[in-house]
Amino acid sequence: MGDPNVLEMVQEEERRISREVDYTFNTSESLSSRETSFLINEEPVPAKRYNLFLRRRLMFDKDKQSKDSIFFRDGIRQIDFVLSYVDDVKKDGDTKAERRKEFEENLRKTGLELEIEDKMNSEDGRTYFVKIHAPWEVLVTYAEVLGIKMPIKESDIPRPETIPFSFLLGPLKLARNVKHPHPEYFTAQFSRYRQELFLIEDKSSFFPSSSRNRIVYYILSRCPFGTEDGKKRFGIERLLTSHTYSSAYPLHDGQYWKPSEPPNPVNERYILFKNWARFSYFYKEQPLDLIRKYYGEKIGIYFVFLGFYTEMLFLAAMVGLTCFIYGLLSMHNSTSSIEICDPNVGGQIIMCPLCDVVCDYWRLNSTCWASKISHLFDNESTVFFAIFMGIWVTLFLEFWKQRQARLEYEWDLVDFEEEQQQLQLRPEFEAMCKHRKMNPVTKEMEPYMPLCTRLPWYFLSGATVTLWMALVVACMVAVIAYRLSVFATFASFVESETSLKSVKSVLTPQITTALTGSCLNFIIILILNFFYEKISAWITKMEIPRTYQEYESSLTLKMFLFQFVNFYSSCFYVAFFKGKFVGYPGKYTYLFNVWRSEECDPGGCLIELTTQLTIIMTGKQIFGNIQEAIYPLVLNWWRRRKARTNSEKLYSRWEQDHDLETFGNLGLFYEYLETVIQFGFVTLFVASFPLAPLLALLNNILEIRVDAWKLTTQYRRPVAAKAHCIGVWQDILYGMAVLSVASNAFIVAFTSDIIPRLVYYYAYSVNATEPLKGYINNTLSTFLIADLPNNTAPMGKRDLTTCRYKDYRYPPDHELKYFHNMQFWHVLAAKMTFIIVIEHVVFLVKFLLAWMIPDVPKDVLERIKREKLMTVKILHDFELKKLTDDLRIGSTEFAKEFMIQENKAQLAKSTI
């Protein structure tokens, strides 16, 4: 199937000129009148315009065409979209060819212009390319349908004033022509009947390329291609699903490493790569207006959010780093560490075995190094940082609402209506529907699927998600069992190997099992995540969601619930369960009646939580960035390597883009999911690891450039889409912000050693000059070794009568021996009081801040009012002028007609 014959096209054009243009074609009953392809009944296009195309085409030499040309062969009509397909020799090859033929005929009826590149002109010798151009008449019609806002007058509102001392941020700023490539304008929804109102200097460049490909995709998604099984079929998505076409994509402006050459327009892809997608520009601000202009608002708002989140992380990172430095400086002054490391204190305290039979008694000072490291994260600044992060997360969300409101004004999204592509019926839904019912809004019949038909899939979906979350918990229990079994093995191995005595103080059984267990847990998380992504996409598809928006919402719920459990379950276990239900010597609790429950270090479980959090968070970020950078790079290299069989052929712009990876409809979904999971690490467990915001900050600085690089260089250009917010992710962030207050309060109370130290300081200390002296001895209870059961006692005889264990229990000579003493209940009451007070204080501050900070800044409200006023005034003046001109022309024509009739009457009288 080659390019249509030029002579036939000229003859067809002449026939078009001889009659009124009618692009009417029947559409599916399920499409509303607004969703159908509009009828373009305009004045006939002058023949000289097409003749110009013809002359240029006859003069055009394809072999001399620039590889970066984004025009038809005539060198004038710009390529707005490209479809590709390969001849299918299978049994349904004829059916696909018939679909393509009818689809392309219907595209021509809508006014689109097509040019087909034969497979002999492609580099692989197999692929046909259908190049699509939207002429002016189509653009103005569908710009009105989609409510695209276009400039009517340059804005007289000055840009926001720069902040004080902004000159200090000079190195971070971009050049003004890159940051704001165009002046600000007052805008109005485009109307083809008011074209004189808009600032149209050049029709070929009036609509940006993002708007052009959005308009073409709107037509492609609604264009019918035939009737099958008694139903009209339509839409490029269905054709892609059935492999009738292999791909559909808009073109990049040109190659990203060099500017375009005339007659091509300005290569915005090159500008983005030069000023945004290079890693050497990691410290620069983003050219957000240019990103929006090139990729559309939906992708633009993601980078605005990621940039804003990164900026806000800077404050949290600095405060967290300050708390860490405080812990580092005070580490050697910690009373607890001093007592544990003191040979006369910790060296004289004999601790009970950490496992049955194979573990021996041990001295407390063997955990000296671990106690010092624990103080880095478990000190007085922990409480302050937990409270600070509760307030920070509120400020982040409230200021983001303000930033979002400002963005809506700057990007003309104030009167935004939901993108219709998202609300369009999915082809899979229509294919499965056997019923129809009246839409109460459009009053048209549309496909309908009863709830009873979908209910079994909903149950299967819920059961699948529950099963996989249970599998995550089962894997976590398996890792716990691994830690318990390895702990006993490693403990006996260290005792028996004299060569390991030198590292025994550093690589204690607790630290070793915590590190290896965390690494194993991270590997399991990645494996489960990989398989669940495939299953969740399949099960969501089986639910047969009605619209693309329903599909994305359903997938978001499944993926977030699973990843929440997958990534955070082990951290929740260490923070709130490990070491809390251990029992005491002689009456320990056992997992499956085999492994003794894990105990925390005498300094607490916080250091293990920090280890777990660091490994999972850092590992995920490193793995994610490597995957995002390497995966598309390798795929594109392999695709090009396979495709280049005819290297002497012209490797054209559309073929270069065809060999790139597809960004996909869910590309942004996974980017948001990754960011939200990171937000959880930063907020939910930050009391245990104040360096988490710093790690997130460093990752996001790299993430912005990785995302920019892969989007600009490794992916096909996505179809532009509009969005005015980050959608359901904002609700998820609010939920996690509330949960973070409770989780950090519980971490400080139950995982760290802050509250027991404060209780001892104020209620049990007997040393006025050094109130915390004796604290370690106070937290250890005494156990009579003779009370140990024979099946748990260490092998061999020891000249010991008692050992110590971490708990608040009565000694063996007390009448209530081994029961919890009064100090245990005092500490528990203090912990619960702390949780209640901290939660109420933080929530009160959160609500006050949310009430004090307006969702829309005052200056933005004033700008919105000013623009609406000016727009109404400009429209009023335009309509008034138009009415005046029409009346003037009408009255002049009436006077002329009256004079003609008078002259005719007088002439008739004189003749008589």
Side-chain angles (χ1 to χ4, degrees):
M1 186 174 180
D3 187 43
N5 186 271
V6 175
L7 178 60
E8 292 179 358
M9 294 179 70
V10 174
Q11 291 173 347
E12 182 182 349
E13 179 64 18
E14 290 174 351
R15 288 195 296 272
R16 287 175 60 202
I17 296 172
S18 65
R19 67 179 188 274
E20 182 179 1
V21 181
D22 184 10
Y23 297 118
T24 309
F25 62 90
N26 296 324
T27 55
S28 172
E29 291 178 331
S30 64
L31 291 175
S32 66
S33 58
R34 180 174 175 83
E35 290 179 328
T36 57
S37 294
F38 260 50
L39 314 179
I40 307 178
N41 294 317
E42 296 289 327
E43 292 297 320
V45 179
K48 65 179 182 180
R49 177 188 172 199
Y50 198 87
N51 290 338
L52 176 63
F53 292 158
L54 175 60
R55 287 197 300 271
R56 292 293 297 273
R57 280 192 61 179
L58 294 177
M59 294 169 60
F60 189 74
D61 185 356
K62 184 178 184 296
D63 292 331
K64 295 181 180 179
Q65 185 180 15
S66 168
K67 292 184 178 182
D68 282 331
S69 175
I70 57 172
F71 294 96
F72 279 16
R73 296 194 193 110
D74 53 40
I76 295 177
R77 290 174 290 174
Q78 182 176 334
I79 301 171
D80 296 312
F81 224 89
V82 176
L83 309 178
S84 69
Y85 64 90
V86 178
D87 273 338
D88 198 337
V89 296
K90 296 180 181 178
K91 59 181 180 180
D92 56 348
D94 293 337
T95 304
K96 293 179 180 179
E98 186 62 32
R99 287 176 184 166
R100 285 193 294 266
K101 180 181 178 182
E102 187 164 353
F103 185 70
E104 289 166 17
E105 286 177 357
N106 288 332
L107 287 178
R108 289 188 175 96
K109 289 178 182 178
T110 65
L112 295 178
E113 297 172 1
L114 276 60
E115 186 176 79
I116 302 175
E117 289 288 341
D118 193 84
K119 65 181 180 180
M120 299 306 296
N121 293 326
S122 65
E123 193 172 11
D124 62 2
R126 300 172 56 246
T127 307
Y128 293 90
F129 291 94
V130 181
K131 299 176 287 186
I132 302 174
H133 167 74
W136 177 255
E137 292 79 12
V138 173
L139 292 174
V140 297
T141 301
Y142 283 93
E144 184 175 357
V145 172
L146 295 173
I148 296 177
K149 290 186 175 183
M150 300 305 292
I152 55 177
K153 181 183 178 182
E154 189 168 341
S155 175
D156 60 1
I157 306 174
R159 293 188 186 274
E161 297 180 3
T162 56
I163 59 174
F165 305 106
S166 60
F167 64 90
L168 297 175
L169 303 177
L172 309 181
K173 299 291 184 182
L174 289 170
R176 188 173 183 82
N177 64 332
V178 176
K179 184 178 180 181
H180 302 296
H182 301 286
E184 288 189 343
Y185 294 98
F186 293 129
T187 60
Q189 287 194 0
F190 189 83
S191 171
R192 53 181 171 160
Y193 301 111
R194 295 175 176 171
Q195 293 187 33
E196 302 85 355
L197 174 65
F198 297 88
L199 302 179
I200 304 176
E201 296 178 0
D202 181 6
K203 288 184 177 181
S204 64
S205 60
F206 177 66
F207 291 102
S209 56
S210 58
S211 297
R212 295 176 71 101
N213 71 58
R214 182 177 161 225
I215 288 171
V216 174
Y217 182 77
Y218 184 88
I219 298 173
L220 291 173
S221 64
R222 287 158 174 75
C223 183
F225 56 83
T227 303
E228 298 175 5
D229 300 328
K231 297 180 182 178
K232 289 206 170 183
R233 305 297 184 186
F234 60 90
I236 186 63
E237 292 298 331
R238 184 184 290 277
L239 292 173
L240 291 172
T241 303
S242 63
H243 304 291
T244 304
Y245 288 101
S246 57
S247 62
Y249 54 93
L251 286 183
H252 279 296
D253 282 356
Q255 292 172 333
Y256 64 85
W257 62 84
K258 66 177 183 179
S260 58
E261 300 175 357
N264 285 349
V266 175
N267 187 353
E268 293 178 345
R269 185 190 189 191
Y270 167 73
I271 299 173
L272 284 171
F273 174 75
K274 182 181 177 183
N275 297 280
W276 179 50
R278 292 195 299 173
F279 294 98
S280 59
Y281 271 44
F282 71 92
Y283 61 93
K284 293 280 190 180
E285 62 182 339
Q286 301 182 79
L288 298 173
D289 288 344
L290 194 59
I291 297 169
R292 173 244 184 165
K293 183 173 181 287
Y294 192 75
Y295 290 113
E297 287 81 1
K298 192 170 185 178
I299 289 179
I301 204 168
Y302 162 72
F303 283 102
V304 175
F305 171 73
L306 186 57
F308 180 80
Y309 171 47
T310 304
E311 291 171 10
M312 289 294 291
L313 275 175
F314 182 79
L315 175 62
M318 292 301 100
V319 176
L321 183 61
T322 303
C323 292
F324 176 77
I325 293 173
Y326 170 80
L328 193 64
L329 295 176
S330 61
M331 182 169 62
H332 298 290
N333 299 324
S334 169
T335 305
S336 300
S337 297
I338 292 172
E339 289 189 348
I340 291 175
C341 298
D342 189 348
N344 297 320
V345 181
Q348 300 302 315
I349 297 177
I350 305 300
M351 301 295 294
C352 296
L354 292 170
C355 61
D356 294 342
V357 183
V358 296
C359 292
D360 203 353
Y361 302 100
W362 52 285
R363 296 185 183 276
L364 182 60
N365 64 349
S366 63
T367 61
C368 174
W369 183 81
S371 68
K372 290 182 177 179
I373 297 298
S374 179
H375 180 78
L376 286 173
F377 309 103
D378 189 2
N379 53 67
E380 294 77 10
S381 65
T382 304
V383 178
F384 162 76
F385 192 59
I387 296 172
F388 168 80
M389 287 302 294
I391 297 171
W392 175 88
V393 75
T394 303
L395 291 173
F396 164 67
L397 293 172
E398 292 303 318
F399 285 144
W400 167 245
K401 284 196 291 187
Q402 286 200 339
R403 181 72 181 92
Q404 206 165 242
R406 192 178 298 278
L407 201 68
E408 288 182 14
Y409 164 73
E410 293 173 351
W411 287 3
D412 292 323
L413 300 169
V414 175
D415 300 320
F416 173 81
E417 294 181 6
E418 193 66 49
E419 184 76 340
Q420 296 208 6
Q421 272 88 338
Q422 286 291 92
L423 299 176
Q424 185 186 357
L425 298 180
R426 296 174 68 245
E428 295 87 348
F429 176 80
E430 292 187 273
M432 296 295 292
C433 283
K434 298 180 180 179
H435 303 83
R436 289 178 175 270
K437 75 170 185 177
M438 179 75 71
N439 187 312
V441 178
T442 62
K443 300 299 181 184
E444 294 181 3
M445 299 297 292
E446 64 178 24
Y448 165 71
M449 184 171 289
L451 180 62
C452 59
T453 307
R454 303 164 75 176
L455 207 57
W457 288 108
Y458 285 140
F459 280 119
L460 178 62
S461 175
T464 303
V465 175
T466 305
L467 177 65
W468 273 83
M469 288 194 292
L471 181 61
V472 171
V473 176
C475 289
M476 183 184 70
V477 173
V479 172
I480 295 171
Y482 157 83
R483 288 157 61 121
L484 292 172
S485 58
V486 168
F487 181 89
T489 305
F490 186 79
S492 59
F493 180 70
V494 169
E495 290 296 330
S496 60
E497 287 290 330
T498 56
S499 60
L500 295 177
K501 297 293 183 181
S502 58
V503 297
K504 184 178 177 181
S505 60
V506 178
L507 287 178
T508 62
Q510 295 98 319
I511 293 175
T512 305
T513 53
L515 286 171
T516 57
S518 298
C519 293
L520 178 63
N521 190 65
F522 174 66
I523 294 170
I524 292 173
I525 285 172
L526 293 181
I527 294 172
L528 291 176
N529 202 50
F530 174 79
F531 287 107
Y532 183 77
E533 280 185 9
K534 313 296 181 186
I535 292 174
S536 62
W538 175 78
I539 202 69
T540 305
K541 185 179 177 181
M542 291 297 101
E543 289 177 6
I544 321 174
R546 185 173 178 272
T547 64
Y548 290 102
Q549 191 178 56
E550 289 181 11
Y551 177 87
E552 192 169 320
S553 298
S554 179
L555 185 62
T556 300
L557 179 64
K558 293 183 185 63
M559 285 298 297
F560 176 73
L561 283 177
F562 173 78
Q563 293 217 2
F564 185 92
V565 175
N566 196 23
F567 281 102
Y568 302 146
S569 58
S570 58
C571 294
F572 274 108
Y573 162 73
V574 175
F576 306 125
F577 296 99
K578 183 178 179 181
K580 306 299 185 295
F581 311 101
V582 175
Y584 60 92
K587 199 174 182 180
Y588 284 116
T589 57
Y590 288 82
L591 180 66
F592 305 127
N593 292 322
V594 178
W595 295 290
R596 207 173 90 185
S597 296
E598 287 186 286
E599 293 184 51
C600 292
D601 189 87
C605 274
L606 198 69
I607 186 62
E608 291 190 40
L609 176 59
T610 304
T611 304
Q612 186 88 6
L613 183 64
T614 305
I615 290 175
I616 295 177
M617 181 180 178
T618 308
K620 182 184 184 303
Q621 293 181 163
I622 293 173
F623 178 81
N625 282 321
I626 291 175
Q627 183 186 34
E628 288 184 15
I630 301 299
Y631 178 72
L633 191 67
V634 171
L635 281 182
N636 291 338
W637 171 81
W638 180 251
R639 193 180 289 112
R640 291 192 188 101
R641 187 174 180 274
K642 284 177 60 180
R644 295 189 179 182
T645 54
N646 301 323
S647 56
E648 73 279 0
K649 296 291 184 182
L650 177 68
Y651 195 52
S652 58
R653 169 82 262 135
W654 47 90
E655 288 178 285
Q656 293 175 44
D657 284 9
H658 181 263
D659 287 345
L660 296 177
E661 186 68 11
T662 306
F663 189 63
N665 294 328
L666 296 176
L668 277 185
F669 166 81
Y670 289 108
E671 297 294 345
Y672 276 119
L673 182 62
E674 179 184 1
T675 306
V676 168
I677 293 298
Q678 184 207 78
F679 181 81
F681 283 123
V682 169
T683 55
L684 292 176
F685 309 101
V686 74
S688 67
F689 189 39
L691 292 180
L694 180 62
L695 291 180
L697 173 66
L698 297 175
N699 173 79
N700 287 0
I701 291 172
L702 182 64
E703 175 80 14
I704 290 173
R705 304 303 159 179
V706 169
D707 288 346
W709 173 81
K710 72 179 184 182
L711 201 60
T712 307
T713 67
Q714 301 302 313
Y715 282 96
R716 294 174 187 164
R717 186 175 183 175
V719 178
K722 293 181 79 70
H724 73 295
C725 65
I726 61 175
V728 69
W729 299 109
Q730 190 154 332
D731 298 326
I732 292 175
L733 291 176
Y734 273 104
M736 295 181 78
V738 173
L739 181 60
S740 69
V741 176
S743 65
N744 282 302
F746 272 89
I747 286 172
V748 173
F750 286 97
T751 310
S752 79
D753 222 24
I754 293 288
I755 303 302
R757 283 205 298 265
L758 289 175
V759 171
Y760 178 80
Y761 185 94
Y762 289 106
Y764 291 91
S765 176
V766 294
N767 192 325
T769 55
E770 296 181 67
L772 285 177
K773 193 170 185 179
Y775 167 72
I776 291 297
N777 185 64
N778 178 262
T779 60
L780 300 176
S781 298
T782 303
F783 184 80
L784 188 63
I785 293 176
D787 292 338
L788 273 177
N790 292 329
N791 61 337
T792 63
M795 294 182 292
K797 298 292 183 180
R798 300 288 186 276
D799 295 329
L800 301 172
T801 55
T802 61
C803 63
R804 309 294 293 275
Y805 61 98
K806 187 174 176 62
D807 206 344
Y808 294 103
R809 293 181 182 271
Y810 288 113
D813 57 354
H814 196 277
E815 59 180 5
L816 297 174
K817 71 173 186 177
Y818 306 141
F819 279 89
H820 285 123
N821 59 25
M822 189 57 65
Q823 188 173 350
F824 170 83
W825 301 108
H826 286 169
V827 171
L828 181 61
K831 290 179 177 180
M832 300 307 296
T833 305
F834 173 83
I835 291 171
I836 294 170
V837 171
I838 288 297
E839 283 188 352
H840 280 73
V841 168
V842 174
F843 279 128
L844 179 62
V845 174
K846 284 168 66 73
F847 290 139
L848 283 175
L849 289 173
W851 174 73
M852 291 169 60
I853 301 173
D855 291 350
V856 183
K858 184 180 179 181
D859 66 307
V860 173
L861 281 174
E862 292 173 351
R863 288 166 177 267
I864 292 172
K865 291 177 182 178
R866 170 68 179 167
E867 179 159 349
K868 285 184 176 180
L869 176 67
M870 291 302 298
T871 302
V872 170
K873 184 177 183 302
I874 293 169
L875 289 173
H876 175 267
D877 292 345
F878 174 80
E879 293 294 344
L880 184 61
K881 183 177 180 299
K882 188 177 180 182
L883 178 62
T884 305
D885 292 343
D886 290 344
L887 289 175
R888 186 183 301 114
I889 294 171
S891 61
T892 304
E893 290 180 352
F894 177 77
K896 286 181 180 179
E897 184 67 27
F898 182 76
M899 290 296 294
I900 291 171
Q901 295 299 331
E902 283 258 329
N903 292 335
K904 283 183 179 179
Q906 290 178 4
L907 183 61
K909 286 180 181 179
S910 63
T911 304
I912 293 171

